[in-house]
Amino acid sequence: MRATGSSSRSWLSVSSILGLLLTAGAASASLCVWRQPDADIAGIFGSGSYKTVFTDISDSLDRKIEKRLGFALDPDETQFKYFPVFKGTERVGTVMTHAGKGQFGAIEIVTAVVTGDSGPVIKEVRVQRDREKAKAALRSKEFLGQLKGMSANDDFRMTNDESGLKPAAKGAEKASQAIATAARKLLIVYDELGRP
Amino acid sequence: MKKISLFVAALAALTMAGTSLKVGGAIYPRYALSEKQSTFELMGAEAILQGQVTSETRDIMYAALQVYTGGIMSGWFKGIHFGEAYAMFPLGLSLPTIKVGQAVVPFGLLETYDIHTQIVQTTYVKSLGLRLDPGLGLTGVLGRTRYALWLSNGNGPDRMDNDKGKVVTARVAPGFLLGDAELTLGLSGLYGSLPYWSLDSLANFPKGPQSYAVKYRLGLDNTTDWGPLTLRLEGIAGKDSSLSHPLVLGYYAEARYALVRWLEVLGKYDGWHANGGRANNLSAGINFYPPNTTAYEVQTTYQIDMMKTGAGDESNWKFITQLVVRI
């Protein structure tokens, strides 16, 4: 009897794990954590609450996103997460995080998106972690402020004239473009997800 | 196994309730060369389950379970790296998050530096004697200051308390931008009964604690990101058994420099002074991060361990290259 009970428990454990694996999604290694949600929500929205939502990128969605981006997603970018922000029960915006490709490592950005007249627009972009030389300039209001109000259809390219965005500092062109590209990618993903 | 089954069943129930559940993992194969050995080994393989429960407007609970699935680690070494299992309950914006379960003790760099995935290690083995400990605590951020408070058994993972004595660990860490450098300064304090090894008994570390001692620890730590340079510093002062006993001292200094986005060099020096002796480690390494994926990285380190005790001086070198694969 003892052996049978032990065997039953083992099978229960194995079937529990199998059931779990069948119902669970895969965790993407590329997901970027949100390091300071309290400070970001207070700074961007004044106050509120948030929840975490994971979303998988299907093959067809992947192709749509890549077509709009003009370049391929990384092989492990199979999942994104976003954070709807609420004041009381009213949805006031959405925050997304992403690790862009800087000159000396990942640049982690926080992008707050709100609904504009013709689709989602950027309310604010913040840098939460980076290894770039022009750290202060990359986090300045002068640089990040340029992204405010931009939509997915706008031109996010860095130029040295008035036609586009200005890099944060001389020598920081690559990092500046990485931040802008990451913000644009999040906008497009959010738009293609149906602005959930 | 029972604990895992219960946790798995609970997570499965949450999944069926429409909440999110993610399965991931990692494997750490490595090659190690020293005077005594030349070996390919699997340092460890683990599955990581993460569950998230949300209401209409906020996160209610997050749980994580780290399951050791294979590798060469055994005994107390396994216990310092594998076995995280905890739940976190956020109380709301600007309020603390309650943390319950088996988790990393929030002392010094351990609180923010995930040394589990690294070849180089901080001084926690000698200074605390454990890394994971079951307990209950609070963690949160006020403005730009992180804080953590943790009440735990002091006996390490997968064990009950053997002496009713609890360990209290607290850390506050303001962060700020200074020019082009981002700094975090941490102040930690710890008091309680913990596993104890003298320097000349550290060879028995894998067998687990043979004795316990009340430890008093005060720690200062710093993490600085200054362009491509990342510095991690830690200083620890304390006493073992009684405040009248001699001071024990520890220090850790690590510098990493990104040559380009995919290549980083690092150097590290640490030390632990106790019982009239000292143990030091000097490491130099190079890390490779593939350009278009975070799924794997390659770490390579040359290390020299130096020990000076009443039994004499000892020095050993080791070359380790490790592949970190994230699933």
Side-chain angles (χ1 to χ4, degrees):
Chain A
M1 281 300 287
R2 193 179 298 162
T4 306
S6 172
S7 174
S8 300
R9 280 196 296 275
S10 298
W11 276 110
L12 186 63
S13 300
V14 170
S15 55
S16 296
I17 290 171
L18 285 176
L20 181 72
L21 292 174
L22 287 172
T23 52
S28 171
S30 67
L31 286 175
C32 175
V33 297
W34 191 7
R35 295 182 184 278
Q36 299 202 19
D38 292 34
D40 289 336
I41 287 180
I44 298 170
F45 296 100
S47 63
S49 63
Y50 74 97
K51 67 175 182 178
T52 309
V53 182
F54 292 90
T55 183
D56 295 326
I57 304 295
S58 65
D59 288 345
S60 61
L61 194 57
D62 184 281
R63 283 192 290 274
K64 282 184 186 174
I65 292 169
E66 289 182 349
K67 190 176 178 185
R68 287 182 69 180
L69 278 173
F71 58 86
L73 292 173
D74 287 344
D76 52 0
E77 284 184 310
T78 54
Q79 193 176 67
F80 280 83
K81 65 179 174 182
Y82 58 92
F83 309 90
V85 178
F86 300 87
K87 276 188 180 177
T89 55
E90 183 193 357
R91 173 99 171 250
V92 293
T94 302
V95 169
M96 301 178 84
T97 56
H98 189 62
K101 294 170 184 171
Q103 190 169 355
F104 298 103
I107 303 178
E108 294 180 5
I109 67 159
V110 174
T111 301
V113 175
V114 293
T115 304
D117 293 336
S118 56
V121 295
I122 291 175
K123 182 173 173 66
E124 190 168 329
V125 174
R126 294 180 166 203
V127 176
Q128 61 176 3
R129 192 171 189 192
D130 71 276
R131 298 181 78 178
E132 303 302 317
K133 290 179 177 174
K135 197 181 290 286
L138 288 168
R139 296 173 186 221
S140 67
K141 285 183 180 171
E142 290 73 26
F143 172 64
L144 294 175
Q146 300 178 94
L147 301 168
K148 187 174 181 179
M150 292 185 77
S151 73
N153 297 323
D154 288 327
D155 188 354
F156 281 72
R157 282 176 297 181
M158 294 290 145
T159 60
N160 285 318
D161 54 39
E162 299 299 317
S163 64
L165 298 170
K166 289 181 184 169
K170 196 176 178 186
E173 290 83 1
K174 190 170 183 178
S176 302
Q177 188 61 67
I179 291 170
T181 301
R184 177 172 171 260
K185 183 191 279 187
L186 291 178
L187 265 178
I188 290 173
V189 168
Y190 181 70
D191 203 24
E192 286 297 332
L193 286 172
R195 306 165 197 176
Chain B
M1 194 62 191
K2 269 185 184 175
K3 269 194 301 185
I4 292 173
S5 297
L6 281 173
F7 196 91
V8 166
L11 289 179
L14 293 175
T15 305
M16 283 178 248
T19 56
S20 127
L21 179 63
K22 299 294 169 193
V23 179
I27 57 173
Y28 307 91
R30 56 165 61 175
Y31 170 73
L33 174 69
S34 67
E35 289 173 4
K36 298 173 186 169
Q37 62 181 3
S38 162
T39 174
F40 291 103
E41 59 195 29
L42 180 65
M43 190 280 279
E46 63 190 350
I48 300 166
L49 308 178
Q50 299 173 74
Q52 182 106 34
V53 183
T54 58
S55 72
E56 284 296 310
T57 58
R58 61 182 287 263
D59 289 344
I60 293 175
M61 191 273 285
Y62 165 82
L65 176 63
Q66 177 198 31
V67 183
Y68 178 78
T69 57
I72 55 153
M73 286 221 164
S74 61
W76 206 244
F77 269 126
K78 183 178 148 190
I80 60 174
H81 276 287
F82 298 96
E84 280 191 85
Y86 59 85
M88 297 177 78
F89 302 87
L91 299 180
L93 210 63
S94 303
L95 295 172
T97 294
I98 297 171
K99 192 172 185 178
V100 187
Q102 197 160 276
V104 176
V105 173
F107 186 87
L109 289 173
L110 281 182
E111 169 68 349
T112 52
Y113 185 20
D114 183 17
I115 53 85
H116 170 59
T117 61
Q118 303 295 316
I119 298 174
V120 295
Q121 298 286 298
T122 61
T123 60
Y124 64 93
V125 164
K126 302 176 189 79
S127 61
L128 305 183
L130 52 73
R131 175 171 162 265
L132 303 176
D133 206 21
L136 166 72
L138 299 173
T139 179
V141 182
L142 272 179
R144 290 188 61 85
T145 300
R146 293 174 63 99
Y147 62 88
L149 180 66
W150 187 242
L151 177 68
S152 58
N153 281 343
N155 290 67
D158 307 322
R159 293 184 174 205
M160 295 170 69
D161 200 353
N162 63 350
D163 58 7
K164 290 186 181 176
K166 295 289 176 277
V167 173
V168 182
T169 310
R171 180 176 183 265
V172 289
F176 50 92
L177 204 61
L178 189 65
D180 281 324
E182 184 172 25
L183 292 93
T184 302
L185 296 174
L187 171 65
S188 304
L190 176 148
Y191 165 76
S193 177
L194 284 161
Y196 176 79
W197 284 271
S198 60
L199 278 177
D200 50 13
S201 69
L202 274 172
N204 296 320
F205 189 82
K207 293 178 183 172
Q210 306 301 307
S211 63
Y212 291 79
V214 172
K215 295 185 180 180
Y216 305 83
R217 297 287 184 264
L218 197 60
L220 282 172
D221 65 85
N222 164 242
T223 301
T224 300
D225 283 321
W226 186 24
L229 176 67
T230 297
L231 288 173
R232 290 189 178 91
L233 307 169
E234 186 176 73
I236 301 165
K239 303 251 179 171
D240 289 338
S241 299
S242 160
L243 286 173
S244 62
H245 283 194
L247 203 63
V248 292
L249 288 170
Y251 43 85
Y252 180 88
E254 176 195 302
R256 290 170 183 253
Y257 190 87
L259 301 171
V260 287
R261 181 158 53 88
W262 48 270
L263 196 65
E264 171 190 74
V265 290
L266 71 89
K268 176 266 243 193
Y269 184 70
D270 70 34
W272 180 250
H273 295 232
N275 323 114
R278 67 171 188 264
N280 294 95
N281 175 276
L282 178 64
S283 300
I286 188 162
N287 295 337
F288 168 71
Y289 303 93
N292 292 322
T293 180
T294 54
Y296 72 94
E297 64 187 66
V298 182
Q299 306 168 351
T300 300
T301 305
Y302 179 78
Q303 303 183 334
I304 302 174
D305 285 313
M306 295 158 282
M307 182 86 85
K308 183 174 185 177
T309 64
D313 294 0
E314 193 180 339
S315 176
N316 295 298
W317 62 269
K318 188 181 279 187
F319 170 84
I320 300 171
T321 186
Q322 174 172 278
L323 178 66
V324 177
V325 179
R326 299 183 180 90
I327 304 162

